[in-house]
Amino acid sequence: MSSKILEKFLNENLEDLKSKGLYNVINPLESSNGPIIKIDGKELINLSSNNYLGLATHPRMKEACIKATEKYGVGAGAVRTINGTLDVHIELEEKLAKFKHTEAAIAFQSGFNCNMGAISAVMDKNDAILSDELNHASIIDGCRLSKAKIIRFNHSDMEDLRKKAKEAKESGLYNKIMVITDGVFSMDGDICKLPEIIEIAEEFDLITYVDDAHGSGVLGKGAGTVKHFGLSDKVDFQIGTLSKAIGVVGGYVAGKKNLIDWLKVRARPFLFSTSLTPGAAAACIEAIDILTESTELNEKLWENGDYLKKGLKELGFNIGNSETPITPCIIGEEKTTQEFSKRLNEEGVYAKSIVFPTVPRGTGRVRNMPTAAHTKEMLDRALEIYAKVGREMGIIK
Ligand SMILES: *Cc1c(COP(=O)(O)O)cnc(C)c1O
């Protein structure tokens, strides 16, 4: 028999979410997560994946994964610190460090895990963390786990950051102070003001932490936001994911050798959770090789992003302040946003609605993620459907 209190809690809360239009329904794919996906037997233009460069289905990636799987098997068999470190993990970390222009790097099972492990390996209850209010959920959770004092600053507001950094420094209450930011903010596609952040960090002796999950593979010709600004030697922690543009799964921290040495003995997901599968590690190595050999995919991504943005803007949609291929279409009210996404879906476009609590209330949006794998024909068709549904619902004229 199940707990009555639990039953009551679940039923009430699920009903509540559904009545407010906040319940997220998950649609399983019957295909790869490429530019065209299949759901319920129907083909749709996919504008919702983070597979920015189309690497998830790249022939070289698949081959690398299969080869490594044949050599090492499907699982690594242990955590990294026992005997779950395979030579492919080391090769991956060396490649990542080179790619990020840092002394060393450490790989994790996911970007989420990086933030769980890296922040609390260095920060504790006697420290403070200055955190952008729009930082990713995994950063928020990682900060909480560290027990450091969390001081939120207004989104990309450098005056607010400076003021709060000064207060924290002058209070004398904290041993260490860190500033932490997304490189690219995933819901709006805007880029952090890194040069100003570094300036403030230097003034108040802050540890700098940039989670570049959406910037790696996208900005800086692929090397990420920090490289984009030419500040590789100024950022202490460069976090990246292997799950988005890289097309596989995993995450990493790139930085100075002593930092990485410390994370290898203190970051708990590294010590207590089984390492990346050999196939995933090998595919990630291949991805970095592909990105290093040519910027073709990166250029195609930007070309497609600019094309889609221009098209949506010309139709009269509000696409916010995006500076990257991430293209939000801001609708506002939660239920209308979900209805809009549903109608796009019925007409042949898969663009997921994103509503509270992922974004603030009243700023519901349909977020579009164009990739290097889309063709102009696919994007034109998507724009036609956007025009049709937008007019039908009175969102555009
Ligand atoms: C997506 C994302 C993550 C999580 O990465 P995974 O590899 O999918 O776990 C972490 N941080 C930011 C900023 C992200 O956008």
Side-chain angles (χ1 to χ4, degrees):
M1 207 187 78
S2 61
S3 154
K4 283 208 183 82
I5 288 183
L6 177 63
E7 284 296 310
K8 185 166 178 289
F9 169 83
L10 296 174
N11 290 337
E12 281 178 9
N13 285 292
L14 284 168
E15 267 319 304
D16 183 53
L17 284 182
K18 283 176 189 165
S19 72
K20 288 180 182 147
L22 300 177
Y23 185 76
N24 181 33
V25 180
I26 294 170
N27 316 113
L29 305 194
E30 293 144 13
S31 65
S32 65
N33 205 344
I36 303 286
I37 51 175
K38 201 166 163 191
I39 294 174
D40 280 336
K42 195 175 137 194
E43 290 199 335
L44 301 159
I45 299 165
N46 178 17
L47 289 173
S48 282
S49 85
N50 295 319
N51 181 19
Y52 285 110
L53 302 172
L55 289 176
T57 54
H58 196 289
R60 274 176 64 183
M61 302 278 287
K62 292 198 265 189
E63 195 192 327
C65 181
I66 291 165
K67 268 197 179 150
T69 304
E70 277 168 355
K71 179 171 176 188
Y72 301 95
V74 293
V79 303
R80 289 287 302 271
T81 48
I82 307 288
N83 66 355
T85 294
L86 309 174
D87 50 12
V88 280
H89 294 121
I90 302 298
E91 189 186 339
L92 172 61
E93 289 170 339
E94 286 170 358
K95 281 244 153 103
L96 285 168
K98 225 170 155 187
F99 187 55
K100 288 282 157 179
H101 305 271
T102 58
E103 286 175 13
I106 174 175
F108 287 84
Q109 306 85 346
S110 73
F112 202 107
N113 262 348
C114 276
N115 288 328
M116 292 303 105
I119 302 169
S120 52
V122 170
M123 305 302 280
D124 65 31
K125 65 179 183 348
N126 300 311
D127 300 324
I129 303 173
L130 296 153
S131 176
D132 188 289
E133 65 176 339
L134 294 190
N135 276 344
H136 188 258
S138 59
I139 297 179
I140 297 170
D141 289 5
C143 290
R144 285 183 184 151
L145 200 57
S146 76
K147 299 196 172 72
K149 169 78 178 169
I150 299 163
I151 304 168
R152 296 199 328 166
F153 60 92
N154 297 334
H155 176 52
S156 279
D157 180 342
M158 293 300 109
E159 241 171 74
D160 195 42
L161 173 62
R162 178 183 295 277
K163 176 173 151 270
K164 286 171 176 164
K166 188 167 187 283
E167 276 168 17
K169 186 77 187 169
E170 287 173 358
S171 74
L173 288 170
Y174 310 110
N175 289 344
K176 304 191 274 316
I177 307 171
M178 173 184 272
V179 56
I180 186 160
T181 184
D182 274 31
V184 172
F185 291 86
S186 58
M187 296 304 147
D188 295 279
D190 53 325
I191 305 170
C192 73
K193 295 182 178 152
L194 195 59
E196 288 93 328
I197 292 175
I198 297 294
E199 212 183 282
I200 295 167
E202 287 181 342
E203 188 176 341
F204 299 103
D205 193 22
L206 312 177
I207 299 166
T208 48
Y209 190 113
V210 178
D211 179 348
D212 205 24
H214 281 278
S216 294
V218 177
L219 285 171
K221 292 206 163 41
T225 304
V226 176
K227 180 76 195 316
H228 166 76
F229 286 114
L231 293 166
S232 301
D233 56 340
K234 302 268 185 188
V235 173
D236 297 308
F237 291 75
Q238 286 195 56
I239 313 303
T241 174
L242 300 166
S243 329
K244 289 174 178 148
I246 298 297
V248 192
V249 71
Y252 56 91
V253 183
K256 288 248 165 66
K257 187 180 175 299
N258 56 4
L259 170 68
I260 303 309
D261 286 346
W262 179 248
L263 294 178
K264 284 182 176 170
V265 293
R266 276 295 182 277
R268 291 167 71 83
F270 188 86
L271 292 141
F272 299 109
S273 183
T274 300
S275 38
L276 279 174
T277 66
C284 291
I285 293 169
E286 194 68 26
I288 298 164
D289 286 346
I290 293 171
L291 292 189
T292 317
E293 282 163 26
S294 156
T295 53
E296 190 189 326
L297 291 174
N298 183 266
E299 280 153 22
K300 186 78 190 156
L301 165 68
W302 281 89
E303 190 186 311
N304 283 344
D306 291 343
Y307 188 78
L308 183 71
K309 269 184 174 156
K310 187 165 165 276
L312 287 171
K313 219 170 162 175
E314 279 172 4
L315 286 173
F317 286 102
N318 171 10
I319 61 164
N321 307 317
S322 174
E323 302 168 82
T324 59
I326 297 174
T327 308
C329 234
I330 300 166
I331 310 289
E333 207 256 327
E334 282 72 27
K335 270 200 159 159
T336 315
T337 308
Q338 289 186 327
E339 178 60 23
F340 186 69
S341 163
K342 187 168 151 253
R343 284 288 302 126
L344 287 175
N345 191 318
E346 284 162 5
E347 296 293 330
V349 169
Y350 192 90
K352 196 81 179 155
S353 60
I354 298 179
V355 296
F356 179 82
T358 311
V359 293
R361 256 186 233 279
T363 70
R365 67 206 55 198
V366 171
R367 188 181 57 166
N368 300 285
M369 309 292 274
T371 72
H374 287 94
T375 62
K376 280 277 163 351
E377 291 69 36
M378 291 173 196
L379 298 177
D380 283 336
R381 180 73 193 124
L383 286 168
E384 276 170 32
I385 294 170
Y386 254 96
K388 177 171 184 234
V389 177
R391 288 189 189 119
E392 175 194 291
M393 287 183 65
I395 292 163
I396 53 164
K397 289 202 198 79

